Amino acid sequence: MEIGRVKETIKKRAILKKMEHCYQKESSSDIITVSDTATAPVWLLEEERSDYIKVQIEAVFNQLSILSAKPMMMTVFIMLPEQTEEICLRFLMDCLVGIAEKKQIKISDVKAECSPDVINTVLFLTIFGRKESESLPFYNVKAFLPGKELVMVGTAALEGTIMLENAGRTILEQRFSRRFLERVRSLSSKMELENKLEVIKTRKDIGIYYIGRTGVFGALWEIASITKKGFLVERKEIPIYQETIELCEFFDVNPYMLRSGSAWILALNQGRTFVEKCKSYGIEAAIIGTMESNADKLVCNGEDCCYLTMPTAVKLRQHQPKGLQFIY
């Protein structure tokens, strides 16, 4: 298998099909959990580049927010490469405690070990929350029907942009102005989901797909894979910051495949009305295409159209920071 999250087709064959045989008793519990990972090269910890870690953890909290749950506590298992200094572990704990204080939650358990099996630091996070209202479907693809408009809420590669700046800061300072890089760093405040969620919850007839790690093209591919339907997307309509475009050009990566931990693709009718409502709340949104009745996965740039191929992990093809070849 390739580096990064397993593809949707593999997930269905190797994971979901096996889970069909598991018996799960219905529960009325209002406790919800989400689990995910955050990773970082050790040198980023040594230089205390906190945003690289924090933006990944924020994306995990976003997954809980989508389920209409308020976070209560968090457990963390940390795996560190061999010979990692204790100062790195202390720094990680400062990051975790800072996030816990911001979210007003308890860290109920932390375990850590050094292992020869990892080359980068890996945090395994489990966040517990209490359901407060009707859950927003995390991946509701049943409503991705032919003829519906595809609306993107949020911006492409926001999470990945913050990670690229944080990891490549020394290199970027030689190429970009301080004012430009300050604008990039300020984008971390846009990872919050609350106002975006409130707008989306006003519509009950929508298909919804949280983009997250897969990037925009990855999310589109998975939607098509699950629904067995195609799409026609206009690339220039995908919301994206100019700062993201410039950083991605510098590192030679495709921004539409980069982590987008605070964005969705929706399928709905009367998309323009919904987009205008989003913009009235100060939320980036745009109609990016339509669902089609055939199976063609078409991405257009004006008159030039091409078939989308299965996205892979994002590799930095130039100006690679030390120990950071992939972002996935």
Side-chain angles (χ1 to χ4, degrees), residues 49-66:
R49 301 283 180 85
S50 59
D51 280 353
Y52 192 90
I53 288 287
K54 287 181 178 179
V55 73
Q56 295 178 69
I57 298 175
E58 187 69 50
V60 185
F61 276 95
N62 284 350
Q63 295 177 31
L64 193 70
S65 297
I66 293 167

Side-chain angles (χ1 to χ4, degrees), residues 51 161-162 165-166 169-170 172-173 177-190 243:
D51 280 353
T161 300
I162 297 164
E165 185 282 326
N166 209 242
R169 184 169 299 170
T170 303
L172 292 169
E173 285 174 345
S177 69
R178 183 174 64 179
R179 181 174 296 181
F180 173 86
L181 294 177
E182 286 175 351
R183 292 204 306 270
V184 176
R185 289 165 203 157
S186 71
L187 295 177
S188 60
S189 63
K190 297 182 181 293
E243 290 84 354

Side-chain angles (χ1 to χ4, degrees), residues 91-248:
F91 169 70
L92 281 174
M93 286 307 303
D94 287 341
C95 291
L96 291 167
V97 169
I99 290 170
E101 290 176 347
K102 176 185 175 183
K103 302 291 184 180
Q104 297 183 322
I105 66 168
K106 175 184 177 182
I107 301 177
S108 61
D109 186 33
V110 177
K111 292 182 173 65
E113 70 175 57
C114 287
S115 171
D117 296 323
V118 296
I119 58 174
N120 288 325
T121 304
V122 184
L123 281 70
F124 300 86
L125 303 126
T126 300
I127 304 171
F128 298 79
R130 186 177 299 278
K131 186 176 177 181
E132 292 192 317
S133 60
E134 182 181 352
S135 293
L136 190 67
F138 193 60
Y139 295 115
N140 176 24
V141 295
K142 293 180 180 179
F144 279 84
L145 300 173
K148 285 201 171 184
E149 293 176 300
L150 293 173
V151 172
M152 183 168 161
V153 177
T155 55
L158 176 60
E159 182 183 358
T161 300
I162 297 164
M163 293 171 69
L164 283 174
E165 185 282 326
N166 209 242
R169 184 169 299 170
T170 303
I171 303 171
L172 292 169
E173 285 174 345
Q174 301 172 19
R175 168 66 175 79
F176 295 96
S177 69
R178 183 174 64 179
R179 181 174 296 181
F180 173 86
L181 294 177
E182 286 175 351
R183 292 204 306 270
V184 176
R185 289 165 203 157
S186 71
L187 295 177
S188 60
S189 63
K190 297 182 181 293
M191 283 290 294
E192 296 288 343
L193 290 188
E194 282 71 17
N195 60 341
K196 299 176 188 176
L197 288 172
E198 291 306 314
V199 175
I200 292 174
K201 286 178 182 178
T202 63
R203 293 288 297 265
K204 304 297 183 183
D205 59 335
I206 63 175
I208 177 169
Y209 202 92
Y210 180 61
I211 297 174
R213 289 193 185 208
T214 64
V216 177
F217 284 174
L220 287 167
W221 179 275
E222 291 177 0
I223 290 168
S225 175
I226 295 168
T227 62
K228 309 298 183 186
K229 300 296 181 184
F231 54 78
L232 177 62
V233 164
E234 181 59 56
R235 191 179 67 181
K236 67 181 180 181
E237 298 299 332
I238 297 174
I240 187 169
Y241 290 118
Q242 181 61 31
E243 290 84 354
T244 295
I245 293 172
E246 293 190 36
L247 256 63
C248 288

Side-chain angles (χ1 to χ4, degrees), residues 1 5 12 23 29 83 89 94 118 128 140 151 177 199 201 227 232 262 287-289 293-294 304 325:
M1 293 185 290
R5 291 295 172 95
K12 287 194 290 186
Y23 173 75
S29 172
Q83 309 303 319
L89 183 57
D94 287 341
V118 296
F128 298 79
N140 176 24
V151 172
S177 69
V199 175
K201 286 178 182 178
T227 62
L232 177 62
S262 62
I287 299 171
I288 64 171
S293 57
N294 54 41
D304 297 327
Q325 188 176 13

